[in-house]
Amino acid sequence: YLSVIIRKCDEVSKLTNDLFLHSLSDLDKLKIHAESVPLCAFVEDVVTEIAGEHNDVTFHKPEFEATVSADKNRLTQIIENLINNSRKYAKTPIDIHLTQSQGSVEIHFTDYGSGIPDSDMPFIFDKFYRGKNADKEQGSGLGLYIVKYLAEKMGGTVLLHNHVGSFEAIVTLPAK
Protein backbone atom coordinates (compact mmCIF):
# COMPACT_ATOMS: atom_id res chain seq x y z
CA TYR A 1 0.00 0.00 0.00
CA LEU A 2 2.82 2.35 0.83
CA SER A 3 4.43 1.98 -2.60
CA VAL A 4 1.06 2.65 -4.30
CA ILE A 5 0.55 5.77 -2.19
CA ILE A 6 4.05 7.03 -3.00
CA ARG A 7 3.59 6.34 -6.72
CA LYS A 8 0.23 8.16 -6.76
CA CYS A 9 1.75 11.12 -4.88
CA ASP A 10 4.54 11.26 -7.47
CA GLU A 11 1.97 11.24 -10.30
CA VAL A 12 -0.02 14.07 -8.73
CA SER A 13 3.16 16.01 -8.06
CA LYS A 14 4.29 15.63 -11.69
CA LEU A 15 0.90 16.71 -13.00
CA THR A 16 0.91 19.74 -10.69
CA ASN A 17 4.42 20.67 -11.83
CA ASP A 18 3.38 20.30 -15.49
CA LEU A 19 0.33 22.51 -14.99
CA PHE A 20 2.38 25.09 -13.11
CA LEU A 21 5.02 25.15 -15.83
CA HIS A 22 2.26 25.44 -18.45
CA SER A 23 0.77 28.47 -16.71
CA LEU A 24 4.21 30.09 -16.45
CA SER A 25 4.95 29.52 -20.13
CA ASP A 26 1.69 31.22 -21.07
CA LEU A 27 2.73 34.21 -18.99
CA ASP A 28 6.24 34.09 -20.45
CA LYS A 29 7.66 34.49 -16.96
CA LEU A 30 9.68 31.30 -16.91
CA LYS A 31 13.28 32.10 -16.10
CA ILE A 32 16.07 30.16 -17.75
CA HIS A 33 19.37 30.33 -15.90
CA ALA A 34 21.78 29.18 -18.59
CA GLU A 35 25.26 28.11 -17.61
CA SER A 36 28.03 25.95 -19.03
CA VAL A 37 27.04 22.32 -18.54
CA PRO A 38 29.46 19.44 -19.21
CA LEU A 39 26.81 17.40 -21.00
CA CYS A 40 28.27 13.88 -20.85
CA ALA A 41 28.67 13.85 -17.08
CA PHE A 42 25.38 15.69 -16.58
CA VAL A 43 23.32 13.27 -18.69
CA GLU A 44 25.03 10.30 -17.06
CA ASP A 45 24.14 11.59 -13.56
CA VAL A 46 20.52 12.38 -14.48
CA VAL A 47 20.01 9.02 -16.21
CA THR A 48 21.51 7.15 -13.24
CA GLU A 49 19.16 9.00 -10.89
CA ILE A 50 16.07 8.48 -13.06
CA ALA A 51 16.84 4.85 -13.84
CA GLY A 52 16.94 3.98 -10.16
CA GLU A 53 16.22 0.28 -9.73
CA HIS A 54 15.04 -0.09 -13.33
CA ASN A 55 17.48 -1.43 -15.89
CA ASP A 56 15.60 0.00 -18.84
CA VAL A 57 17.70 3.10 -19.61
CA THR A 58 21.23 2.92 -21.02
CA PHE A 59 23.43 5.96 -21.58
CA HIS A 60 26.13 5.28 -24.16
CA LYS A 61 28.85 7.67 -23.07
CA PRO A 62 30.66 9.15 -26.08
CA GLU A 63 34.41 9.39 -26.63
CA PHE A 64 34.16 13.20 -26.68
CA GLU A 65 33.34 15.75 -24.00
CA ALA A 66 30.73 18.35 -24.89
CA THR A 67 29.71 21.50 -23.09
CA VAL A 68 26.38 23.20 -23.72
CA SER A 69 24.71 26.37 -22.55
CA ALA A 70 21.65 25.22 -20.60
CA ASP A 71 19.64 25.51 -17.41
CA LYS A 72 20.43 22.33 -15.44
CA ASN A 73 16.98 22.12 -13.81
CA ARG A 74 15.15 22.59 -17.11
CA LEU A 75 17.45 20.14 -18.91
CA THR A 76 16.71 17.58 -16.19
CA GLN A 77 12.98 18.11 -16.85
CA ILE A 78 13.49 17.49 -20.57
CA ILE A 79 15.40 14.26 -19.94
CA GLU A 80 12.87 13.05 -17.36
CA ASN A 81 9.88 13.80 -19.61
CA LEU A 82 11.37 11.97 -22.59
CA ILE A 83 12.38 8.93 -20.53
CA ASN A 84 9.01 8.81 -18.77
CA ASN A 85 7.17 9.05 -22.12
CA SER A 86 9.17 6.13 -23.48
CA ARG A 87 8.53 4.11 -20.34
CA LYS A 88 4.81 4.87 -20.41
CA TYR A 89 4.06 4.33 -24.11
CA ALA A 90 6.81 2.14 -25.56
CA LYS A 91 7.53 0.00 -22.51
CA THR A 92 10.87 -1.02 -24.03
CA PRO A 93 14.51 -0.38 -23.18
CA ILE A 94 15.68 3.18 -23.84
CA ASP A 95 19.07 4.04 -25.32
CA ILE A 96 20.55 7.52 -24.99
CA HIS A 97 23.60 8.78 -26.85
CA LEU A 98 25.17 12.11 -27.82
CA THR A 99 26.43 13.43 -31.12
CA GLN A 100 28.04 16.75 -31.86
CA SER A 101 28.28 18.95 -34.90
CA GLN A 102 29.43 22.48 -35.62
CA GLY A 103 28.01 24.64 -32.86
CA SER A 104 25.58 22.13 -31.34
CA VAL A 105 25.23 18.89 -29.41
CA GLU A 106 22.38 16.42 -29.85
CA ILE A 107 20.93 14.11 -27.21
CA HIS A 108 19.28 11.11 -28.88
CA PHE A 109 16.61 9.16 -26.98
CA THR A 110 15.68 5.88 -28.71
CA ASP A 111 13.01 3.40 -27.67
CA TYR A 112 11.81 0.33 -29.53
CA GLY A 113 8.07 0.84 -29.41
CA SER A 114 5.69 1.62 -32.24
CA GLY A 115 6.32 5.38 -32.08
CA ILE A 116 3.78 8.13 -32.67
CA PRO A 117 1.18 7.67 -35.41
CA ASP A 118 2.03 9.81 -38.46
CA SER A 119 -1.39 11.48 -38.26
CA ASP A 120 -0.54 12.76 -34.75
CA MET A 121 2.93 14.14 -35.60
CA PRO A 122 1.80 17.63 -36.71
CA PHE A 123 0.03 18.17 -33.38
CA ILE A 124 2.19 16.26 -30.90
CA PHE A 125 3.85 19.37 -29.43
CA ASP A 126 0.51 21.19 -28.91
CA LYS A 127 -0.69 21.84 -25.37
CA PHE A 128 -2.99 19.13 -24.04
CA TYR A 129 -2.72 17.05 -27.24
CA ARG A 130 -2.75 13.31 -26.67
CA GLY A 131 -2.07 10.96 -29.54
CA LYS A 132 -4.40 8.21 -30.67
CA ASN A 133 -2.19 5.59 -29.02
CA ALA A 134 -2.33 7.36 -25.61
CA ASP A 135 -5.90 6.50 -24.64
CA LYS A 136 -4.95 3.64 -22.29
CA GLU A 137 -2.39 5.68 -20.34
CA GLN A 138 -2.99 8.57 -17.99
CA GLY A 139 -1.48 11.91 -18.91
CA SER A 140 -2.08 15.60 -19.35
CA GLY A 141 -0.87 16.09 -22.91
CA LEU A 142 1.74 18.56 -21.68
CA GLY A 143 4.94 16.46 -21.63
CA LEU A 144 6.17 17.02 -25.20
CA TYR A 145 4.86 20.59 -25.21
CA ILE A 146 7.03 21.28 -22.15
CA VAL A 147 10.05 19.51 -23.68
CA LYS A 148 9.84 21.65 -26.82
CA TYR A 149 9.16 24.86 -24.91
CA LEU A 150 12.15 24.37 -22.58
CA ALA A 151 14.51 23.35 -25.39
CA GLU A 152 13.57 26.44 -27.39
CA LYS A 153 13.99 28.70 -24.35
CA MET A 154 17.57 27.39 -24.12
CA GLY A 155 18.21 28.06 -27.82
CA GLY A 156 17.65 24.46 -28.89
CA THR A 157 15.20 22.30 -30.82
CA VAL A 158 13.42 18.96 -30.54
CA LEU A 159 12.78 16.54 -33.41
CA LEU A 160 10.82 13.29 -33.34
CA HIS A 161 11.35 10.43 -35.81
CA ASN A 162 9.55 7.15 -36.36
CA HIS A 163 11.92 4.49 -37.66
CA VAL A 164 11.23 0.89 -38.56
CA GLY A 165 11.37 -0.84 -35.18
CA SER A 166 12.21 2.24 -33.12
CA PHE A 167 11.27 5.79 -32.19
CA GLU A 168 13.77 8.62 -31.67
CA ALA A 169 13.55 12.00 -29.96
CA ILE A 170 16.50 14.34 -30.62
CA VAL A 171 17.15 17.38 -28.43
CA THR A 172 19.67 19.79 -29.97
CA LEU A 173 21.35 22.39 -27.75
CA PRO A 174 23.91 25.07 -28.56
CA ALA A 175 27.49 24.07 -27.80
CA LYS A 176 29.53 26.30 -25.56
Side-chain angles (χ1 to χ4, degrees):
Y1 291 114
L2 185 57
S3 66
V4 171
I5 291 169
I6 290 171
R7 186 170 44 84
K8 290 297 180 184
C9 286
D10 288 343
E11 289 174 11
V12 169
S13 178
K14 184 182 179 322
L15 181 59
T16 303
N17 288 340
D18 286 351
L19 290 171
F20 177 70
L21 188 59
H22 164 69
S23 67
L24 285 177
S25 69
D26 264 356
L27 298 175
D28 211 20
K29 292 183 180 177
L30 183 65
K31 301 287 186 228
I32 300 293
H33 303 286
E35 59 183 286
S36 291
V37 177
L39 195 59
C40 297
F42 182 80
V43 171
E44 186 172 37
D45 289 346
V46 172
V47 167
T48 299
E49 183 178 313
I50 292 170
E53 296 174 2
H54 304 282
N55 292 323
D56 60 345
V57 183
T58 303
F59 175 58
H60 303 276
K61 194 169 182 177
E63 298 288 324
F64 60 87
E65 182 55 56
T67 302
V68 296
S69 177
D71 182 314
K72 287 182 177 180
N73 292 328
R74 303 307 179 199
L75 185 53
T76 299
Q77 285 180 288
I78 289 172
I79 295 168
E80 284 178 346
N81 276 358
L82 291 172
I83 289 173
N84 289 335
N85 268 8
S86 287
R87 280 180 171 161
K88 184 190 294 189
Y89 299 111
K91 296 176 177 42
T92 70
I94 304 157
D95 289 313
I96 301 171
H97 73 275
L98 305 178
T99 60
Q100 64 180 351
S101 60
Q102 190 103 6
S104 66
V105 181
E106 296 176 345
I107 311 170
H108 296 254
F109 299 81
T110 305
D111 67 49
Y112 303 93
S114 59
I116 297 171
D118 291 339
S119 60
D120 288 334
M121 281 293 209
F123 314 105
I124 205 68
F125 290 115
D126 292 351
K127 285 183 249 180
F128 305 113
Y129 186 82
R130 300 200 64 218
K132 291 172 186 60
N133 63 346
D135 58 344
K136 294 176 187 165
E137 298 292 339
Q138 289 186 333
S140 61
L142 289 174
L144 290 175
Y145 168 78
I146 290 169
V147 165
K148 182 179 181 198
Y149 180 83
L150 293 175
E152 288 177 351
K153 281 290 197 179
M154 291 186 284
T157 60
V158 179
L159 297 173
L160 304 176
H161 299 287
N162 286 313
H163 301 289
V164 176
S166 68
F167 175 78
E168 182 177 38
I170 304 168
V171 177
T172 304
L173 296 169
K176 191 90 171 141

